[in-house]
Amino acid sequence: KTCENNGVVPGAHLVVCERVLLPTDKAGFFGGADNGAAVRVMRVRTADGMPLMVEDNLFDPVKYRFLLDE
């Protein structure tokens, strides 16, 4: 909504979408789902086609497994 409120068109470019193993000390973050793995999605967010920021997120590998097929 921030982009639209400022009169620019938001966008994103996918850099990577993959299943990753979390470091041992972080493996329980999603409750041990999928043997300590996560789905990692990295995107470059844009405003009017210009790069604005890099977004790098981890998602629950069971609940968001579908992201790997998108």
Side-chain angles (χ1 to χ4, degrees):
K1 213 55 171 145
T2 301
C3 282
E4 286 117 355
N5 289 343
N6 287 292
V8 296
V9 178
H13 299 280
L14 183 64
V15 176
V16 67
C17 183
E18 63 187 352
R19 181 183 176 275
V20 296
L21 293 177
L22 297 172
T24 307
D25 63 329
K26 307 284 191 256
F29 184 78
F30 294 114
D34 201 18
N35 297 316
V39 174
R40 178 183 181 212
V41 177
M42 184 191 307
R43 302 184 293 177
V44 174
R45 302 297 300 213
T46 63
D48 281 347
M50 298 295 295
L52 189 62
M53 66 181 234
V54 174
E55 181 180 69
D56 195 358
N57 295 308
L58 296 172
F59 296 92
D60 180 304
V62 175
K63 187 174 181 179
Y64 294 96
R65 185 176 307 275
F66 70 89
L67 291 173
L68 296 170
D69 298 326
E70 295 297 315

